[in-house]
Short mmCIF file of all heavy atoms in Angstrom, two decimals:
data_model
loop_
_atom_site.label_atom_id
_atom_site.label_comp_id
_atom_site.label_asym_id
_atom_site.label_seq_id
_atom_site.Cartn_x
_atom_site.Cartn_y
_atom_site.Cartn_z
N VAL A 283 -12.67 -11.94 6.74
CA VAL A 283 -13.44 -12.84 5.97
C VAL A 283 -13.40 -14.18 6.82
O VAL A 283 -12.34 -14.68 7.06
CB VAL A 283 -13.10 -13.10 4.56
CG1 VAL A 283 -13.87 -14.23 3.93
CG2 VAL A 283 -13.27 -11.79 3.74
N CYS A 288 -17.57 -18.34 3.91
CA CYS A 288 -17.44 -17.70 2.52
C CYS A 288 -17.76 -18.86 1.49
O CYS A 288 -17.18 -19.95 1.55
CB CYS A 288 -15.98 -17.18 2.25
SG CYS A 288 -15.84 -16.53 0.56
N ILE A 289 -18.64 -18.50 0.61
CA ILE A 289 -19.01 -19.46 -0.47
C ILE A 289 -18.27 -19.10 -1.87
O ILE A 289 -18.59 -19.71 -2.88
CB ILE A 289 -20.56 -19.55 -0.62
CG1 ILE A 289 -21.13 -18.15 -1.03
CG2 ILE A 289 -21.20 -20.22 0.55
CD1 ILE A 289 -22.64 -18.19 -1.36
N GLY A 290 -17.55 -18.06 -1.77
CA GLY A 290 -16.69 -17.61 -3.02
C GLY A 290 -17.48 -17.04 -4.14
O GLY A 290 -17.21 -17.18 -5.25
N CYS A 291 -18.62 -16.32 -3.72
CA CYS A 291 -19.48 -15.78 -4.83
C CYS A 291 -18.71 -14.58 -5.50
O CYS A 291 -19.05 -14.34 -6.61
CB CYS A 291 -20.70 -15.32 -4.13
SG CYS A 291 -20.57 -13.95 -3.06
N GLY A 292 -17.82 -13.91 -4.86
CA GLY A 292 -17.15 -12.91 -5.44
C GLY A 292 -17.73 -11.51 -5.48
O GLY A 292 -17.16 -10.55 -6.03
N VAL A 293 -18.88 -11.42 -4.77
CA VAL A 293 -19.58 -10.09 -4.65
C VAL A 293 -18.65 -9.01 -3.93
O VAL A 293 -18.54 -7.98 -4.53
CB VAL A 293 -20.89 -10.35 -3.92
CG1 VAL A 293 -21.36 -8.97 -3.31
CG2 VAL A 293 -21.92 -11.04 -4.75
N CYS A 294 -18.00 -9.46 -3.02
CA CYS A 294 -17.16 -8.45 -2.26
C CYS A 294 -15.97 -8.00 -3.16
O CYS A 294 -15.53 -6.84 -3.11
CB CYS A 294 -16.75 -8.82 -0.90
SG CYS A 294 -15.82 -10.44 -0.99
N ALA A 310 -12.89 -15.49 -0.95
CA ALA A 310 -12.36 -14.14 -0.78
C ALA A 310 -11.32 -14.04 0.31
O ALA A 310 -11.50 -14.64 1.37
CB ALA A 310 -13.61 -13.20 -0.50
N CYS A 329 -22.61 -9.19 1.47
CA CYS A 329 -22.38 -10.61 1.53
C CYS A 329 -23.52 -11.37 2.17
O CYS A 329 -24.11 -11.08 3.25
CB CYS A 329 -21.09 -10.86 2.59
SG CYS A 329 -20.79 -12.56 2.88
N VAL A 331 -24.03 -14.37 3.03
CA VAL A 331 -23.77 -15.45 4.05
C VAL A 331 -23.21 -14.82 5.30
O VAL A 331 -22.84 -15.65 6.26
CB VAL A 331 -22.90 -16.63 3.48
CG1 VAL A 331 -23.74 -17.27 2.29
CG2 VAL A 331 -21.60 -16.21 3.02
N ALA A 333 -20.29 -13.58 5.98
CA ALA A 333 -18.92 -14.00 6.14
C ALA A 333 -17.87 -12.85 6.50
O ALA A 333 -16.82 -13.01 6.85
CB ALA A 333 -18.40 -14.78 4.96
N ILE A 334 -18.50 -11.61 6.37
CA ILE A 334 -17.55 -10.42 6.54
C ILE A 334 -17.84 -9.77 7.81
O ILE A 334 -18.99 -9.51 8.16
CB ILE A 334 -17.85 -9.44 5.30
CG1 ILE A 334 -17.29 -10.16 3.95
CG2 ILE A 334 -16.92 -8.17 5.51
CD1 ILE A 334 -17.68 -9.35 2.79
FE1 LIG B 66 -17.26 -14.76 0.39
FE2 LIG B 66 -19.16 -13.06 1.31
FE3 LIG B 66 -17.29 -12.21 -0.30
FE4 LIG B 66 -19.19 -13.81 -1.28
S1 LIG B 66 -19.51 -11.59 -0.59
S2 LIG B 66 -16.98 -14.01 -1.76
S3 LIG B 66 -19.57 -15.13 0.42
S4 LIG B 66 -16.96 -13.07 1.80
#
Side-chain angles (χ1 to χ4, degrees):
V283 174
C288 176
I289 56 172
C291 69
V293 162
C294 56
C329 177
V331 296
I334 297 172

